[in-house]
Amino acid sequence: MNAVAKVNEDSAKVELATATQLPPAAAPAPAPKKRGRMVLMAALPLALVVGGGYFWVTGGRYQETENANLRQARVNIASEAAGRIVKVDVADNAAVKAGDVLFEVDPEPYRIALAQADAALAAARLNVEQLRAGYSQAVAQERVAASGLDYAQAQFDRSDGLVTKGVNTKSSLDEARMDLDKAQEQHSAAVQGIVSAKAALGGNPEIEADQHPTVLSALAARDKAAFDLAQTTVRAPADGVVSQAASFKIGQYVGAGTALFSLVETGDTWVEANFKETQLTHMKPGQEAEIVLDTYPDRTFRGTVEAIGAGTGAEFSLLPAQNATGNWVKVTQRIPVRVKVDTADGGLAMRTGMSATVSIDTGVSRGFGSIFGHAVAAE
C-alpha cells in the first residue's frame, strides 16, 4: 500500500512539473476593446453636440407658452327703463340665443305715457290747421282793409276837389283826411297780421302738418314714448350664457342703466397669451396658432394672431414698477397676444378664463446666423 501511494505521489509531481513547463494559453488582446471605448466616449458627446446644434438651428419657429387663458366677451345687462320686474325668462348659467327675452319691466306706465304723446301729437296737428285757417283769415282781412283804404282815398280826393272849387267846406276835407289815415292804419295792421300768421306756419303757408316744428316736436316725444315702452322688454344682444343672475327675481325694482347680471358671449372667443418679450421677435398678426385647453387636452383648436399688446403687463398694472430705484433687477417681461379661435366644437363647453397652451408658427427658424450673432455679441 505504501508503494502504491508513493507511485501516485510521484505521478502527481511529474504532472505538476509538466504543467509548469508548458507555455501559458494565449489571452485576447486588450487593445481593440480599449479602442472601442475611446470611440464611444468621443462619439457620444459629438452626437449630443450635433443633435443639439441641429435642434437649435432648426428651432425657434414655433413659440409656445402656457401662460394663456380663454376669453369671451362679457356684457353687463341693464334695463333702459326704470320700473318693477314683472317677468323673468332666464336662470343663472342658462344658455340664450340672440333676441331671446331675458326679462320684462312693468310696461303700464309707459303705455300711459305713449297715449299722452299720441294725444299731444293730435293736438299739434290740429293747431297747425288752426294756424292755416288764421292765415287765410288774415289774408281776407287785408283785402277788406285794402278796399277800405281805396274808398277812403277816393273820398279824400273828391273832397279835396270840391274844396278847391269852393263847393265843399274845409271841415269835410279834414274829416275825409282822418278817414284816410284810419284806413291806412287798418291796412298796415292787416298786412302785419298776414306776416304773423305766415310766421306761425314756419314761413310757408302751404307747409304740411307733419313738417311743422310743433308737430315735429310732438312726433319726437311720441317716438320717445314708444321707444321707452319697447325698452321694457329686454332681449339678449347675442348668443351666450347668463351669469350672476341667481338673485334676479320678479318684483325687484330696477333703475335705468343699473347693471343687473352678465351675459358671456359664446360667439366671440379668443385666447389671451402672455408671451415673453424675447419670443416676439418674429411674431406678427395673421400667423397661425394651435391652442390646447387644459380642459380638453386631447383636442387641438386652430387660431390666428389678431393683435399684439401695446405694452407689457407691468405697464398697465395698478402700481407700475419703478426701475430707477437702486434695487433694480432685470426681469423678462411678458406682453399679451390676442389669438382668435378659428375653430370650435359646439358640443364642448368653452368657458371664459380656462387655462390654455398656445403655440404660434412664426415661420422663421434660428439658422446659423443666430449662432454667429451670439458669438459676436459675446466678444
Side-chain angles (χ1 to χ4, degrees):
M1 293 294 294
N2 293 332
V4 174
K6 187 175 182 181
V7 170
N8 292 336
E9 183 178 356
D10 293 339
S11 299
K13 290 180 179 180
V14 172
E15 291 178 357
L16 179 61
T18 303
T20 56
Q21 293 177 1
L22 291 176
K33 186 177 294 185
K34 290 182 179 179
R35 189 179 301 110
R37 289 198 192 100
M38 294 298 293
V39 171
L40 182 60
M41 292 177 63
L44 183 58
L46 181 62
L48 292 176
V49 170
V50 172
Y54 172 78
F55 281 107
W56 169 263
V57 172
T58 59
R61 175 176 176 177
Y62 297 92
Q63 298 295 336
E64 182 175 319
T65 182
E66 293 182 348
N67 189 349
N69 296 96
L70 186 73
R71 299 296 183 192
Q72 293 175 324
R74 187 175 63 183
V75 180
N76 290 327
I77 302 299
S79 172
E80 293 191 24
R84 197 168 301 281
I85 302 300
V86 295
K87 183 180 180 182
V88 176
D89 291 337
V90 296
D92 200 19
N93 299 321
V96 296
K97 296 292 184 181
D100 288 352
V101 176
L102 301 178
F103 62 91
E104 186 175 334
V105 178
D106 186 7
E108 196 58 32
Y110 297 93
R111 288 198 185 99
I112 296 173
L114 179 59
Q116 291 176 339
D118 286 333
L121 176 60
R125 287 171 174 164
L126 180 60
N127 183 55
V128 172
E129 296 301 327
Q130 291 176 343
L131 292 176
R132 189 176 285 115
Y135 174 78
S136 299
Q137 184 178 3
V139 171
Q141 289 177 350
E142 189 274 334
R143 290 174 183 172
V144 172
S147 298
L149 178 60
D150 293 340
Y151 176 76
Q153 184 68 49
Q155 287 294 104
F156 174 78
D157 293 339
R158 185 180 300 109
S159 296
D160 185 46
L162 293 176
V163 170
T164 303
K165 295 178 180 180
V167 176
N168 203 352
T169 61
K170 188 175 180 181
S171 61
S172 62
L173 179 61
D174 293 337
E175 185 177 353
R177 182 180 290 111
M178 183 180 297
D179 293 340
L180 178 60
D181 293 340
K182 184 177 179 181
Q184 288 176 344
E185 292 176 358
Q186 290 177 347
H187 182 263
S188 298
V191 172
Q192 291 300 321
I194 292 177
V195 173
S196 177
K198 188 176 181 180
L201 291 170
N204 181 15
E206 303 298 330
I207 189 173
E208 296 182 5
D210 286 355
Q211 297 300 320
H212 192 273
T214 305
V215 178
L216 290 175
S217 177
L219 281 171
R222 195 265 179 198
D223 292 342
K224 177 64 168 55
F227 175 80
D228 291 341
L229 177 60
Q231 296 308 305
T232 58
T233 300
V234 180
R235 301 180 181 274
D239 297 349
V241 177
V242 176
S243 177
Q244 301 175 336
S247 60
F248 187 68
K249 303 296 182 182
I250 293 177
Q252 179 179 347
Y253 186 88
V254 297
T258 303
L260 302 174
F261 52 86
S262 299
L263 177 68
V264 180
E265 296 185 9
T266 55
D268 186 12
T269 305
W270 72 93
V271 173
E272 186 175 295
N274 300 303
F275 283 92
K276 296 178 181 178
E277 55 186 324
T278 54
Q279 295 178 284
L280 302 180
T281 305
H282 302 291
M283 195 176 298
K284 57 185 178 181
Q287 293 174 341
E288 296 182 355
E290 291 185 353
I291 304 166
V292 177
L293 300 177
D294 291 1
T295 309
Y296 309 106
D298 57 339
R299 294 179 179 267
T300 301
F301 301 93
R302 309 297 299 178
T304 304
V305 177
E306 275 194 334
I308 298 176
T312 64
E315 287 296 311
F316 296 99
S317 62
L318 184 60
L319 297 174
Q322 297 297 325
N323 292 333
T325 58
N327 58 353
W328 173 76
V329 178
K330 183 176 182 179
V331 178
T332 302
Q333 301 295 316
R334 289 184 178 268
I335 297 177
V337 177
R338 183 184 176 110
V339 180
K340 177 68 176 180
V341 180
D342 296 334
T343 58
D345 190 345
L348 299 179
M350 302 180 70
R351 296 294 184 260
T352 182
M354 285 182 172
S355 299
T357 300
V358 179
S359 176
I360 296 178
D361 182 7
T362 63
V364 179
S365 301
R366 294 190 183 96
F368 291 100
S370 61
I371 298 179
F372 298 134
H374 286 293
V376 172
E379 293 179 359

